[in-house]
Amino acid sequence: MPTGLIEHLTSLVAPPLCAACGSPRSLQAVLCDRCHADLAAAPKVVEPGPPGVDLAVSASPFEGPARRVVHGLKYAHRLSLAGVAAEAMLRSLPAMDVPEAVVPVPPGPWRWRWRGFDPAEEIAIATAARAGLAIQPCLGRGGGPRQVGRRRSERLSNPPLVWPVAGVPREALLVDDVWTTGATLSACARALRDGGCRRVIALTLARAL
């Protein structure tokens, strides 16, 4: 039986659902029409960025479909959402000289062991593939306190320990899922510059304002 026919019959028994909100979606899509349209229409956030970052860009505030995409990827392990995030993030980039490589924000070691994957790395891989750039996971991170759930003052006063573990690109597109205080982005930018990087553009799906 042809694969297309099998997929069609399967969709009649178990209609495909949006990976973000759970509503019905088309067979070829990852998101439903509403989530796709809302994410595309979300106001992008472009700021100078935290210390060490030349420019910080987010595809959306951390609300609505962007929040659902982040949670679906991070907590429900819906890896197809990494591509959705990457496409929205690349659309939000201003016209500029594209950095030579994509660098994922590194996870804390215990977080990777717990999930079995890293959301930032999945988004970075999808971003690099769609932009035609190299992926360069050149940063390591110590097992310090989790950033999620900490107060702003605590995040800023005790940022994560990040260092280069391999050669860094001269110009980096630093990728993460959410930009909150900028403490993690700044720590990564400092590590990249310590390794010889000259320009750091931070790119995230969402900005928690």
Side-chain angles (χ1 to χ4, degrees):
M1 185 178 294
T3 301
L5 180 57
I6 294 174
E7 292 178 346
H8 176 70
L9 293 175
T10 300
S11 70
L12 296 177
V13 177
L17 302 178
C18 174
C21 73
S23 299
R25 61 168 173 84
S26 68
L27 190 61
Q28 295 77 23
V30 176
L31 300 182
C32 65
D33 290 343
R34 180 176 179 181
C35 282
H36 183 274
D38 288 350
L39 186 59
K44 67 182 180 181
V45 182
V46 181
E47 299 184 18
V53 173
D54 295 290
L55 185 70
V57 180
S58 298
S60 170
F62 188 43
E63 58 188 32
R67 179 188 290 269
R68 294 193 293 272
V69 167
V70 168
H71 287 180
L73 174 59
K74 183 175 288 187
Y75 303 120
H77 296 198
R78 296 172 187 149
L79 300 187
S80 61
L81 289 171
V84 171
E87 290 169 3
M89 290 157 62
L90 288 171
R91 286 196 303 266
S92 70
L93 269 179
M96 63 172 73
D97 293 333
V98 178
E100 66 183 61
V102 174
V103 177
V105 167
W110 73 272
R111 299 296 291 177
W112 199 98
R113 288 194 296 269
W114 177 59
R115 288 198 181 102
F117 76 102
D118 175 44
E121 184 177 48
E122 295 295 328
I123 295 173
I125 291 170
T127 299
R130 285 159 174 76
L133 298 173
I135 177 77
Q136 203 159 335
C138 56
L139 299 178
R141 180 170 176 171
R146 290 183 62 199
Q147 292 295 85
V148 175
R150 299 174 71 202
R151 296 176 180 174
R152 178 180 178 85
S153 59
E154 294 173 334
R155 288 179 177 230
L156 294 173
S157 64
N158 189 18
L161 298 175
V162 181
W163 60 89
V165 296
V168 307
R170 289 176 299 175
E171 298 185 346
L173 189 63
L174 181 63
V175 167
D176 203 357
D177 53 358
V178 181
W179 164 24
T180 306
T181 64
T184 300
L185 293 177
S186 188
C188 291
R190 285 195 298 270
L192 286 168
R193 292 189 185 278
D194 287 346
C197 186
R198 300 175 184 174
R199 185 168 70 127
V200 180
I201 306 300
L203 180 64
T204 67
L205 174 64
R207 171 72 162 112
L209 301 172

Coordinates of all heavy atoms in Angstrom, one line a residue, residues 104-110 138-147 150 154-165 174 182-192 194:
P104 N 25.2 26.8 19.9 CA 24.1 26.6 20.9 C 24.6 27.0 22.3 O 25.7 26.8 22.7 CB 23.8 25.1 20.8 CG 25.1 24.5 20.3 CD 25.8 25.5 19.5
V105 N 23.7 27.6 23.1 CA 23.9 27.8 24.5 C 24.0 26.4 25.2 O 23.1 25.6 25.0 CB 22.8 28.7 25.1 CG1 22.9 28.6 26.7 CG2 22.9 30.1 24.6
P106 N 25.1 26.1 25.9 CA 25.2 24.8 26.4 C 24.3 24.6 27.6 O 24.0 25.5 28.4 CB 26.7 24.8 26.9 CG 27.0 26.2 27.2 CD 26.2 27.0 26.2
P107 N 23.8 23.3 27.8 CA 23.0 23.0 28.9 C 23.8 22.7 30.2 O 25.0 22.3 30.0 CB 22.2 21.8 28.5 CG 23.2 21.1 27.6 CD 24.0 22.2 26.9
G108 N 23.2 22.7 31.3 CA 23.8 22.2 32.5 C 23.9 20.7 32.3 O 23.0 20.1 31.7
P109 N 25.0 20.0 32.8 CA 25.1 18.6 32.5 C 24.0 17.7 33.0 O 23.6 16.8 32.3 CB 26.5 18.2 33.2 CG 26.7 19.4 34.1 CD 26.1 20.6 33.5
W110 N 23.5 18.0 34.2 CA 22.4 17.2 34.7 C 21.1 17.3 34.0 O 20.3 16.4 33.9 CB 22.2 17.4 36.2 CG 21.6 18.7 36.6 CD1 22.2 19.9 36.7 CD2 20.2 18.9 36.8 NE1 21.3 20.8 37.1 CE2 20.0 20.3 37.1 CE3 19.0 18.1 36.7 CZ2 18.8 20.9 37.4 CZ3 17.8 18.7 37.0 CH2 17.7 20.0 37.3
C138 N 30.8 24.7 20.8 CA 32.2 25.0 21.3 C 32.2 25.4 22.8 O 33.3 25.8 23.3 CB 32.9 26.0 20.5 SG 32.0 27.6 20.3
L139 N 31.1 25.4 23.5 CA 31.0 25.9 24.8 C 30.7 24.8 25.8 O 29.9 23.9 25.5 CB 30.0 27.1 25.0 CG 30.3 28.3 24.1 CD1 29.1 29.3 24.4 CD2 31.6 28.9 24.5
G140 N 31.2 24.9 27.0 CA 30.9 24.0 28.1 C 30.3 24.7 29.2 O 30.5 26.0 29.3
R141 N 29.6 24.0 30.1 CA 28.9 24.7 31.2 C 29.0 23.9 32.5 O 28.8 22.7 32.4 CB 27.4 24.9 30.8 CG 26.6 25.6 31.9 CD 25.2 26.0 31.2 NE 24.3 26.6 32.2 CZ 23.1 27.1 31.8 NH1 22.8 27.1 30.5 NH2 22.3 27.6 32.7
G142 N 29.3 24.6 33.6 CA 29.4 23.9 34.8 C 28.1 23.5 35.4 O 27.0 24.0 35.0
G143 N 28.1 22.8 36.5 CA 26.9 22.3 37.1 C 26.4 23.3 38.2 O 26.2 22.8 39.4
G144 N 26.3 24.5 37.9 CA 25.8 25.5 38.9 C 24.3 25.5 39.1 O 23.6 24.6 38.6
P145 N 23.8 26.5 39.8 CA 22.3 26.5 40.0 C 21.5 26.7 38.7 O 22.0 27.4 37.8 CB 22.1 27.7 40.9 CG 23.3 28.6 40.7 CD 24.4 27.7 40.4
R146 N 20.3 26.1 38.7 CA 19.4 26.3 37.6 C 19.0 27.7 37.5 O 18.8 28.4 38.5 CB 18.2 25.4 37.7 CG 18.3 23.9 37.6 CD 17.0 23.3 37.7 NE 16.1 23.7 36.7 CZ 14.8 23.5 36.7 NH1 14.2 23.0 37.8 NH2 14.0 23.9 35.7
Q147 N 18.9 28.2 36.2 CA 18.4 29.6 36.0 C 16.9 29.7 36.1 O 16.4 30.7 36.6 CB 18.9 30.1 34.7 CG 20.4 30.3 34.6 CD 20.9 31.4 35.5 OE1 21.2 31.2 36.7 NE2 21.0 32.6 35.0
R150 N 14.7 31.1 39.2 CA 15.4 32.0 40.1 C 15.0 33.5 39.9 O 14.5 33.8 38.8 CB 16.9 31.9 39.9 CG 17.5 30.5 40.1 CD 18.9 30.4 39.7 NE 19.8 31.2 40.6 CZ 21.0 31.6 40.3 NH1 21.5 31.4 39.1 NH2 21.7 32.2 41.2
E154 N 19.1 37.1 41.5 CA 19.9 35.9 41.8 C 20.6 35.5 40.5 O 21.7 35.0 40.5 CB 19.0 34.8 42.3 CG 18.5 35.1 43.7 CD 17.5 34.0 44.2 OE1 16.9 33.4 43.3 OE2 17.4 33.8 45.4
R155 N 19.8 35.5 39.4 CA 20.4 35.2 38.1 C 21.6 36.1 37.7 O 22.6 35.6 37.2 CB 19.3 35.3 37.0 CG 18.2 34.2 37.0 CD 17.3 34.5 35.9 NE 16.2 33.4 35.8 CZ 15.9 32.8 34.7 NH1 16.5 33.0 33.6 NH2 14.9 31.9 34.7
L156 N 21.4 37.4 37.9 CA 22.4 38.3 37.5 C 23.7 38.3 38.4 O 24.8 38.5 38.0 CB 21.9 39.7 37.5 CG 20.8 40.0 36.4 CD1 20.2 41.4 36.6 CD2 21.4 39.8 35.0
S157 N 23.4 38.0 39.7 CA 24.6 38.0 40.6 C 25.3 36.7 40.6 O 26.5 36.6 41.1 CB 24.1 38.3 42.1 OG 23.2 37.2 42.5
N158 N 24.7 35.6 40.1 CA 25.4 34.3 40.1 C 25.1 33.6 38.8 O 24.4 32.6 38.7 CB 24.9 33.5 41.3 CG 25.6 32.2 41.4 OD1 26.8 32.0 40.9 ND2 25.1 31.2 42.2
P159 N 25.7 34.1 37.7 CA 25.4 33.5 36.4 C 26.1 32.2 36.2 O 27.0 31.8 37.0 CB 26.1 34.6 35.4 CG 27.2 35.2 36.2 CD 26.6 35.2 37.6
P160 N 25.7 31.4 35.2 CA 26.3 30.1 35.0 C 27.8 30.2 34.6 O 28.2 31.2 34.0 CB 25.5 29.5 33.9 CG 24.9 30.6 33.2 CD 24.7 31.7 34.2
L161 N 28.6 29.2 34.9 CA 30.0 29.1 34.5 C 30.0 28.5 33.1 O 29.6 27.4 32.9 CB 30.8 28.3 35.5 CG 30.8 28.9 36.9 CD1 31.6 27.9 37.8 CD2 31.5 30.2 37.0
V162 N 30.6 29.3 32.2 CA 30.7 28.8 30.8 C 32.1 29.1 30.3 O 32.7 30.1 30.6 CB 29.6 29.6 29.9 CG1 29.7 29.1 28.5 CG2 28.2 29.4 30.4
W163 N 32.6 28.2 29.5 CA 34.0 28.3 29.0 C 34.0 27.6 27.6 O 33.3 26.7 27.3 CB 35.0 27.7 30.0 CG 34.7 26.2 30.2 CD1 35.3 25.2 29.5 CD2 33.9 25.6 31.2 NE1 34.8 24.0 29.9 CE2 34.0 24.2 31.0 CE3 33.1 26.1 32.2 CZ2 33.2 23.3 31.8 CZ3 32.4 25.2 33.0 CH2 32.5 23.9 32.8
P164 N 35.0 28.1 26.8 CA 35.2 27.4 25.5 C 35.8 26.0 25.7 O 36.8 25.9 26.4 CB 36.1 28.3 24.7 CG 36.7 29.3 25.8 CD 35.9 29.2 27.0
V165 N 35.3 25.0 25.0 CA 35.8 23.7 25.0 C 36.4 23.3 23.7 O 37.0 22.2 23.5 CB 34.8 22.6 25.4 CG1 34.3 22.9 26.9 CG2 33.6 22.7 24.5
L174 N 24.6 33.0 18.5 CA 24.4 32.3 19.7 C 22.9 32.0 19.9 O 22.1 32.9 20.0 CB 24.9 33.1 20.9 CG 24.8 32.6 22.3 CD1 25.7 31.3 22.4 CD2 25.3 33.6 23.3
G182 N 19.3 37.6 30.5 CA 20.5 37.8 29.7 C 21.7 37.3 30.4 O 22.8 37.3 29.8
A183 N 21.6 36.8 31.6 CA 22.8 36.3 32.4 C 23.5 35.2 31.7 O 24.7 35.1 31.6 CB 22.4 35.9 33.8
T184 N 22.7 34.2 31.2 CA 23.3 33.1 30.5 C 23.9 33.5 29.1 O 25.0 33.1 28.8 CB 22.2 32.0 30.3 OG1 21.8 31.5 31.5 CG2 22.9 30.8 29.5
L185 N 23.2 34.3 28.4 CA 23.7 34.8 27.1 C 25.0 35.6 27.3 O 25.9 35.4 26.5 CB 22.7 35.7 26.4 CG 21.4 35.0 25.9 CD1 20.4 36.1 25.3 CD2 21.7 33.9 24.9
S186 N 25.0 36.4 28.3 CA 26.2 37.2 28.6 C 27.4 36.3 29.0 O 28.5 36.5 28.6 CB 25.9 38.2 29.7 OG 27.0 39.1 29.9
A187 N 27.1 35.3 29.8 CA 28.2 34.3 30.2 C 28.8 33.6 29.0 O 30.0 33.4 28.9 CB 27.7 33.3 31.2
C188 N 27.9 33.2 28.1 CA 28.3 32.6 26.8 C 29.1 33.5 25.9 O 30.1 33.1 25.4 CB 27.1 32.0 26.1 SG 26.3 30.6 26.9
A189 N 28.6 34.8 25.9 CA 29.3 35.7 25.0 C 30.7 36.0 25.6 O 31.7 36.1 24.8 CB 28.5 37.0 25.0
R190 N 30.9 36.1 26.9 CA 32.2 36.3 27.4 C 33.1 35.1 27.1 O 34.3 35.3 26.8 CB 32.1 36.5 29.0 CG 31.5 37.9 29.4 CD 31.8 38.1 30.8 NE 31.1 37.2 31.7 CZ 29.9 37.3 32.2 NH1 29.2 38.4 31.9 NH2 29.4 36.4 33.0
A191 N 32.6 33.9 27.2 CA 33.4 32.7 26.9 C 33.8 32.7 25.5 O 35.0 32.4 25.1 CB 32.6 31.5 27.3
L192 N 32.9 33.1 24.6 CA 33.2 33.2 23.2 C 34.3 34.2 22.9 O 35.3 34.0 22.2 CB 32.0 33.5 22.3 CG 31.0 32.4 22.2 CD1 29.7 32.9 21.6 CD2 31.5 31.3 21.3
D194 N 36.5 35.3 25.0 CA 37.8 34.8 25.6 C 38.5 33.9 24.6 O 39.7 33.8 24.7 CB 37.5 34.1 26.9 CG 37.1 35.0 28.1 OD1 37.4 36.2 27.9 OD2 36.6 34.5 29.1

